[in-house]
Amino acid sequence: MVSVRIGALDRKLLRDIWHLRGQVLAVTAVVMCGIAVFLTMRGMVESLVDTRDRYYAEYRFADVFANVKRAPESVAARIAAMPGVRAVETGITLEVMLDVPDLAEPATAQLISLPDGGSPRLNRLHLRSGRTVAAGARDEVLASEAFARANRLEPGATITAVINGRRERLVIVGIAISPEFIYTLRPASGLPDDRRYGILWMSRAALENAYDMDGAFNRVALGLEPGASERDVITALDRLLERYGAIGAYGRGEHLSDKVIRDEIRQDSIYGGVISAIFLGVAAFIVHIVLSRLVAIQRDQLGVIKAFGYGNRAIAAHFVKLALLVVVSGTLLGIPVAAWLGEGLAAIYRDFFHFPHYEWQLSARGLAMSVAISAASAFTGAYVAVLGAIRLPPAEAMRPPTPARFRPGWIERAGFQRWLSMTERMVVRNLERRPWKGALSVLGLALAVAIIVVGRYGIDALDRIIDVQFRATLKDDITIELNNPRAAAAIEAIAQLPGVIRAEPFRAVPVRLRAGHREKRTAVIGFAAQGNLHALVDLDYRATPMPDEGIVLSTKLAGQLGLAIGDRFMVELLEGARRSEAVVLAATVDDLVGLGAYMSLPALNRLMHEPAETLSGAYLTVDPAARERLYRRLKEMPMVRGVSVKESMLANFRDVIARSLLVQTIANIVFASVIAFGVVYNSVRIALSERGNELASLRVLGFTHREVAAMLLGEQLVLVLVAIPLGFAVGAGICAMLVMALDAQETMRLPLVFSGRTFAFAFVIVATAAMLSAFAIWRRLRGLDLIAVLKTRE
Amino acid sequence: MQVQNGCMGNKPVFRVRGVSKVYRMGEVEVHALREVDLDLYAGEFVVLLGASGSGKSTLLNIVGGLDVPTAGEVHYLDHDLTAATDEALTRFRREHVGFVFQFYNLIPSLTALENVSLVTEIAARPLAPDEALRLVGLGDRLNHFPAQLSGGEQQRVAVARAVAKRPDVLLCDEPTGALDFASGKVVLEVLDRVNRELGTTTVVITHNAAIAAMADRVIHIGSGRIAEIGANAAKASPAELSW
Ligand SMILES: Nc1ncnc2c1ncn2[C@@H]1O[C@H](COP(=O)(O)OP(=O)(O)OP(=O)(O)O)[C@@H](O)[C@H]1O
Ligand SMILES: [Mg+2]
């Protein structure tokens, strides 16, 4: 008996679903998008964390790193004997200039030694192709995958390097990756540039020979015992290495590649969380309006069902099943979409992050979580409607509803009504009668707008970062770094190079800043206060003049050190005389990239007790016509350690970013359109079912299809027009929250800026989706059955 | 009968010829109308009587341009309603027809006055909306919303709405069906007055045989056919009716 009853109710449910198929599909699509975003991002985060952790463990990524000028190999044993240290790997590293076939500009490589005979104890390499270098081979190298790929170098290719002043021909015998360089970024340069910067591994014996480093090392990596205190080891290591010219040991927290990956994981999880929350919120909202309407339409049917003795539980289950159907089908559809999107993103990530094997993957737990979250959102949406159905007394339900009560709202009481036509009054009163319903629609639409704004915000922020950092702050064409600090004569020599229009010196000194118990490793850049090619510019393009005395810190860095302008703090110079000096924080600059520290060139050199004009690099502006000649000369200059060419770096970066943003932008457009369409379609569709009688009556009275559609769609137009500016505000608000959540990032900070194009884009997408759904309704209005309407009471 | 109609000296405004309406529901065919021939003349007051399901509403809807027949032709003066497009039918309704429905079908978001204005705004030479409402005795209820009016009052607003545009034809499907005796009578008086004073051709469907007494002609419909057409030599005024 019971099963027969439920069977009948279920048949009703199936018919209702069929009848509401358009709306059910729209909700399902929104749920699908929410689940897809959630799963994509969650899978991304899970697989990044998982892949990274396994890579680190299997290839023994070190815990502590330190560089020195030169330390005898015997020190290694003393390091190994320190408490908490499990493994020590010493080596030699230096930056060299490269001449790469088919590349006009000079490239820079970090040369790293490989122990001869046997693989390193820490930071092991994963060979992608070719073979490893032969012990002691002077002319063999392994190239990092990113560099090799960007320059299309296969095993067997040759490149030329300037090693200790001599041009050496090197054969690439293999392509490798290392847990130390999952993401390759040249220290001190803001952007990745795999064409012009790479890692080359070489036989330790060969490097010792070339650089006169027999029985010595200049880099050391430590693996720690589980539970060992990193801080204690670093302190002990610094003390031990101090007299060998150490520039400060650091843990994984300050490891560049690791930091970038951590930032990425953080970004992904925050972004994924925010976006999926929007979707699931909208899904809850649509489930709510669809079910509420269903309950309202079916109040008489529900009354009958109750009168015949169905309990509240059966009624509630009836509606909950509908919500469940949406969740289950949305999730089932969302999984393949997520897998597809995830694999697409993973393909892009493989260009940025070099793991032995990287794939988008999802744990059963993530899956279960997504189902739980979407079910929760659907049930939240169903709750109010179901409660309404349960509360409905059977007798009340069977009485016909009295005509909806209207009264003139505030717009008319304010006296505007004489300017409104009858149909406009209908629009105004319908909106005023149920402001909550309109408000929910507006909110849904605003979220669609917001999704696009949030999605495109990354592009705007990046544009601003690039513009501030590489146009307003650094105004040079080429930055040159020298091997060692040089006297003023060097800048004269550089200025004489072909094509150089202007050359300005700078000095970079590695330092450790100490304020109380807080400390931070960075480099102080000293440049001419009256120079043209480097300025202190904040995210809003406000310039900070370089003071003659004292130091300027990035606002972020000053904050981390707890310093205010005027405070004195200690600068430990990690080069030359290696002394600690007190300096005054003269100003801060709210910049966007890195943790910068700046002084005027003479002031920095005074601090170093060196001649005021000493430089370690130069900013150049050059004549484009003479670039090729300049590059050729630079490649042969022994005193030059590295060259970065701004245009090439930016072009390369834009290229890489454009590719990754494309997928995200497309996904965003699709998702936002689904939301906009889902919201508009549902609210119009419901308005149509609520007011079908009214509209059909109007048609009978001689109003045309167009006039009737205008009344129905006019209401939606008002909602869309209110929603769009609100969406801009909501989007901006969400971005502001993202910025706050990502504030801990050290590599880059996001400025809260939006381009007009982002708003225009959001407007066009949402307006188009709204128009499409209006069109669907327009066609439905054509099929309105005029006679059926006259036969029924409602 | 024909003679009598001829005596009215009028040409027919509606000519219905061989009109059938068949609803197909899967296997089953429902013949709502079977080859109906009928003329309606300018200015006459016609009552349609017939059992439930006999096809009255179907006929009225076809005449009013709400529906199209399966076979046959309907002409309004020189308009062929059977060949008309949806747009043309809409224009026909807008320009010539006033409807009164059993369930009033007022727009809940508009006041009485505005419900009437809604139609006068799109009419060529309408009555003033308040005048139309005064005509149905609702001069003091202009700014009430439908929810604030009784059923009879709502129906009178519907009548005012229908007559305010000064239609050539007034089609009423059970206008008193939902009303009590007194309210029903008021509505009928308005219809009668409009018919006399404005010369509007009026067709009223009813189940109430008593109403037939106020008609010029009474058309009986049974099983989709015109069973009988009777004429009243002397029309009764609505005040004289009782049921
Ligand atoms: N949409 C439809 N589909 C199928 N059959 C229909 C439809 N509309 C009407 N009918 C059938 O056509 C016939 C005539 O219907 P109609 O509405 O004209 O009757 P009526 O004379 O107005 O009845 P009542 O006095 O009860 O209103 C009925 O048998 C009805 O069942
Ligand atoms: Mg009928």
Side-chain angles (χ1 to χ4, degrees):
Chain A
M1 191 63 206
V2 169
S3 66
V4 173
R5 272 186 183 181
I6 287 171
L9 258 193
D10 283 345
R11 256 201 307 286
K12 168 183 172 308
L13 180 67
L14 287 179
R15 294 224 175 99
D16 287 345
I17 288 170
W18 177 246
H19 187 68
L20 296 171
R21 58 192 177 277
Q23 284 158 279
V24 170
L25 267 178
V27 195
T28 308
V30 172
V31 172
M32 181 192 84
C33 290
I35 293 293
V37 179
F38 178 82
L39 289 182
T40 307
M41 299 316 268
R42 164 129 196 132
M44 209 72 225
V45 170
E46 275 180 4
S47 39
L48 266 180
V49 169
D50 183 60
T51 310
R52 176 196 63 184
D53 290 350
R54 268 189 298 129
Y55 190 24
Y56 281 180
E58 265 177 56
Y59 288 80
R60 314 243 175 117
F61 182 47
D63 297 301
V64 172
F65 311 81
N67 288 341
V68 295
K69 199 135 190 95
R70 182 196 169 101
E73 191 60 32
S74 58
V75 174
R78 286 166 61 197
I79 296 173
M82 286 179 356
V85 175
R86 182 173 46 88
V88 178
E89 179 71 40
T90 59
I92 297 169
T93 184
L94 4 104
E95 279 201 345
V96 295
M97 291 269 290
L98 291 183
D99 194 354
V100 179
D102 299 330
L103 185 67
E105 307 96 81
T108 308
Q110 185 178 356
L111 273 183
I112 297 178
S113 65
L114 278 179
D116 294 292
S119 53
R121 267 160 303 212
L122 294 169
N123 303 327
R124 293 193 165 157
L125 302 192
H126 173 85
L127 200 61
R128 278 279 201 236
S129 60
R131 58 167 175 85
T132 192
V133 295
R138 291 182 51 116
D139 61 344
E140 291 185 3
V141 290
L142 291 177
S144 59
E145 179 180 52
F147 177 71
R149 199 185 285 164
N151 286 296
R152 297 200 165 80
L153 298 172
E154 302 281 338
T158 58
I159 49 180
T160 309
V162 183
I163 294 180
N164 210 4
R166 276 204 313 279
R167 287 173 68 84
E168 302 265 6
R169 227 180 53 113
L170 301 174
V171 181
I172 295 175
V173 295
I175 312 290
I177 58 174
S178 150
E180 275 191 285
F181 300 100
I182 295 172
Y183 183 87
T184 334
L185 185 62
R186 184 156 181 227
S189 111
L191 301 177
D193 186 355
D194 289 336
R195 273 213 87 180
R196 280 156 286 265
Y197 180 71
I199 314 297
L200 297 178
W201 288 273
M202 204 173 176
S203 147
R204 171 133 182 205
L207 270 180
E208 281 183 1
N209 250 324
Y211 284 94
D212 206 11
M213 292 278 282
D214 294 307
F217 66 90
N218 67 3
R219 83 190 295 250
V220 60
L222 281 63
L224 301 188
E225 309 266 15
S229 154
E230 183 188 288
R231 225 190 131 74
D232 292 350
V233 170
I234 287 177
T235 313
L237 187 62
D238 277 343
R239 206 170 304 130
L240 184 63
L241 293 179
E242 196 170 355
R243 59 202 192 89
Y244 304 109
I247 57 169
Y250 55 96
R252 285 185 185 180
E254 284 186 50
H255 188 275
L256 202 51
S257 161
D258 190 62
K259 200 149 73 174
V260 170
I261 296 167
R262 254 182 294 124
D263 281 354
E264 183 68 30
I265 289 170
R266 225 182 124 80
Q267 262 182 36
D268 280 2
S269 58
I270 290 172
Y271 182 79
V274 167
I275 299 282
S276 15
I278 292 183
F279 273 103
L280 298 170
V282 171
F285 151 67
I286 302 185
V287 167
H288 167 77
I289 60 173
V290 169
L291 283 185
S292 304
R293 185 54 206 158
L294 199 61
V295 170
I297 290 175
Q298 301 188 342
R299 55 202 295 283
D300 52 338
Q301 302 178 27
L302 289 173
V304 173
I305 293 171
K306 283 187 172 185
F308 283 121
Y310 280 93
N312 283 339
R313 188 182 298 234
I315 303 266
H318 182 62
F319 288 103
V320 165
K321 274 182 198 162
L322 187 98
L324 207 62
L325 173 97
V326 167
V327 170
V328 169
S329 44
T331 307
L332 287 181
L333 291 170
I335 293 169
V337 174
W340 178 76
L341 266 178
E343 194 33 52
L345 273 181
I348 291 162
Y349 272 45
R350 282 194 283 266
D351 282 354
F352 288 98
F353 299 118
H354 296 266
F355 292 107
H357 184 73
Y358 178 65
E359 244 176 21
W360 181 84
Q361 71 202 19
L362 185 68
S363 67
R365 202 165 142 252
L367 207 62
M369 216 163 115
S370 77
V371 174
I373 292 174
S374 61
S377 89
F379 290 143
T380 312
Y383 182 76
V384 177
V386 170
L387 217 59
I390 288 175
R391 289 225 184 100
L392 213 59
E396 169 65 29
M398 291 195 290
R399 229 168 277 142
T402 44
R405 294 198 171 273
F406 282 89
R407 56 198 184 84
W410 63 268
I411 291 188
E412 295 175 50
R413 274 181 272 129
F416 288 110
Q417 80 164 328
R418 84 194 88 114
W419 290 295
L420 299 176
S421 74
M422 290 312 130
T423 50
E424 284 158 0
R425 283 180 208 189
M426 287 165 65
V427 169
V428 170
R429 286 181 197 161
N430 273 303
L431 288 174
E432 279 186 333
R433 189 167 81 91
R434 285 197 293 178
W436 273 114
K437 197 166 148 279
L440 276 178
S441 297
V442 166
L443 188 65
L445 283 166
L447 288 176
V449 175
I451 280 192
I452 301 186
V453 172
V454 173
R456 292 230 0 156
Y457 163 66
I459 303 180
D460 289 349
L462 216 57
D463 278 348
R464 172 62 69 92
I465 290 172
I466 288 179
D467 200 52
V468 167
Q469 187 64 24
F470 298 101
R471 302 243 179 277
T473 301
L474 273 177
K475 285 177 280 208
D476 63 349
D477 298 324
I478 293 179
T479 307
I480 290 181
E481 287 161 80
L482 304 177
N483 275 333
N484 295 300
R486 307 254 165 183
I491 196 71
E492 305 302 326
I494 290 169
Q496 298 306 316
L497 289 171
V500 173
I501 297 171
R502 193 180 175 90
E504 291 179 7
F506 70 85
R507 169 113 202 234
V509 177
V511 293
R512 187 184 277 137
L513 308 180
R514 291 184 204 276
H517 62 286
R518 297 181 234 220
E519 56 173 68
K520 206 78 202 172
R521 275 165 19 95
T522 182
V524 179
I525 312 285
F527 56 90
Q530 67 286 1
N532 287 326
L533 301 183
H534 192 166
L536 298 174
V537 176
D538 74 3
L539 55 95
D540 291 318
Y541 299 103
R542 278 185 299 257
T544 304
M546 173 69 85
D548 291 331
E549 290 297 331
I551 193 165
V552 179
L553 295 184
S554 158
T555 307
K556 176 91 196 165
L557 179 55
Q560 286 186 349
L561 291 169
L563 291 172
I565 291 173
D567 287 354
R568 283 177 85 80
F569 63 101
M570 297 306 289
V571 175
E572 186 186 342
L573 302 161
L574 301 173
E575 187 184 289
R578 303 184 65 83
R579 280 168 295 101
S580 279
E581 297 271 350
V583 294
V584 174
L585 179 59
T588 59
V589 54
D590 197 2
D591 57 4
L592 298 168
V593 178
L595 298 175
Y598 311 93
M599 291 179 86
S600 85
L601 185 57
L604 178 59
N605 281 325
R606 253 196 316 280
L607 206 62
M608 296 291 295
H609 290 233
E610 285 176 33
E613 312 282 276
T614 310
L615 66 144
S616 65
Y619 305 119
L620 310 182
T621 52
V622 301
D623 173 8
R627 271 176 187 249
E628 301 280 321
R629 270 197 299 145
L630 176 63
Y631 294 152
R632 265 199 304 279
R633 284 289 304 280
L634 285 174
K635 283 175 187 173
E636 287 162 3
M637 284 176 72
M639 72 170 178
V640 174
R641 184 184 62 177
V643 172
S644 46
V645 178
K646 191 192 282 170
E647 272 326 306
S648 317
M649 184 170 73
L650 288 183
N652 171 73
F653 183 67
R654 277 203 202 90
D655 211 49
V656 174
I657 288 298
R659 251 182 315 141
S660 80
L661 285 178
L662 189 68
V663 174
Q664 283 182 25
T665 308
I666 290 175
N668 268 318
I669 292 175
V670 171
F671 290 164
S673 309
V674 166
I675 286 199
F677 187 87
V679 170
V680 178
Y681 180 77
N682 264 292
S683 51
V684 189
R685 186 67 197 74
I686 280 163
L688 182 63
S689 83
E690 282 177 347
R691 292 169 52 204
N693 274 33
E694 189 177 318
L695 298 173
S697 305
L698 289 169
R699 290 279 284 125
V700 170
L701 294 176
F703 283 83
T704 60
H705 176 220
R706 187 189 300 270
E707 286 163 335
V708 170
M711 283 175 221
L712 187 61
L713 298 176
E715 213 173 299
Q716 300 305 314
L717 181 70
V718 172
L719 298 183
V720 171
L721 290 182
V722 173
I724 286 177
L726 182 69
F728 291 160
V730 171
I734 293 173
C735 292
M737 276 163 36
L738 282 179
V739 167
M740 263 161 36
L742 295 174
D743 190 48
Q745 286 193 173
E746 292 182 356
T747 44
M748 260 185 204
R749 286 169 296 280
L750 299 174
L752 195 60
V753 290
F754 301 94
S755 67
R757 224 189 304 160
T758 290
F759 291 134
F761 191 71
F763 175 84
V764 168
I765 297 296
V766 172
T768 307
M771 244 138 67
L772 280 179
S773 63
F775 181 70
I777 294 297
W778 165 271
R779 295 202 23 196
R780 225 162 207 292
L781 267 179
R782 248 195 203 294
L784 208 57
D785 187 342
L786 302 189
I787 297 159
V789 165
L790 303 179
K791 280 189 192 160
T792 50
R793 165 92 224 190
E794 212 231 355
Chain B
M1 272 184 277
Q2 289 304 91
V3 179
Q4 186 136 24
N5 288 330
C7 283
M8 294 181 80
N10 276 332
K11 303 197 72 173
V13 280
F14 281 102
R15 274 181 296 121
V16 177
R17 290 294 177 269
V19 162
S20 299
K21 180 75 184 181
V22 182
Y23 290 106
R24 259 186 207 88
M25 328 237 323
E27 303 287 283
V28 192
E29 288 194 346
V30 178
H31 290 263
L33 291 176
R34 300 167 198 265
E35 304 202 3
V36 170
D37 295 329
L38 179 67
D39 288 332
L40 295 174
Y41 298 92
E44 71 172 335
F45 194 114
V46 174
V47 165
L48 276 181
L49 281 177
S52 180
S54 55
K56 305 179 297 291
S57 297
T58 307
L59 180 60
L60 197 79
N61 291 341
I62 288 174
V63 166
L66 288 178
D67 204 354
V68 285
T70 318
E73 285 183 10
V74 180
H75 283 271
Y76 171 76
L77 301 176
D78 46 4
H79 300 283
D80 183 354
L81 299 186
T82 31
T85 59
D86 185 48
E87 280 70 27
L89 284 179
T90 303
R91 203 170 338 110
F92 163 68
R93 294 198 299 271
R94 189 172 185 143
E95 289 168 4
H96 303 290
V97 190
F99 284 98
V100 179
F101 313 108
Q102 184 181 3
F103 299 120
Y104 333 135
N105 295 71
L106 297 180
I107 307 296
S109 58
L110 297 180
T111 62
L113 187 70
E114 290 165 344
N115 260 286
V116 178
S117 310
L118 183 70
V119 173
T120 57
E121 275 179 1
I122 59 167
R125 25 174 210 93
L127 298 175
D130 53 340
E131 192 186 326
L133 282 167
R134 262 181 266 284
L135 197 66
V136 297
L138 287 177
D140 53 347
R141 292 289 161 82
L142 302 182
N143 293 318
H144 286 57
F145 283 92
Q148 299 164 322
L149 294 170
S150 76
E153 287 165 340
Q154 288 184 51
Q155 188 62 298
R156 278 188 275 158
V157 175
V159 171
R161 181 175 67 179
V163 301
K165 66 198 265 192
R166 288 198 231 239
D168 299 309
V169 222
L170 192 53
L171 303 177
C172 315
D173 196 341
E174 303 191 38
T176 61
L179 304 182
D180 66 16
F181 178 71
S183 314
K185 222 159 171 178
V186 176
V187 166
L188 290 175
E189 272 166 358
V190 175
L191 291 179
D192 182 58
R193 213 172 123 198
V194 168
N195 173 248
R196 276 186 289 111
E197 292 176 6
L198 302 176
T200 312
T201 308
T202 307
V203 181
V204 176
I205 292 179
T206 180
H207 279 121
N208 188 342
I211 295 175
M214 62 180 282
D216 291 308
R217 289 199 294 160
V218 183
I219 299 173
H220 294 265
I221 295 191
S223 311
R225 292 197 176 84
I226 297 197
E228 187 194 338
I229 303 183
N232 289 326
K235 296 203 292 187
S237 84
E240 296 165 324
L241 304 179
S242 67
W243 61 87

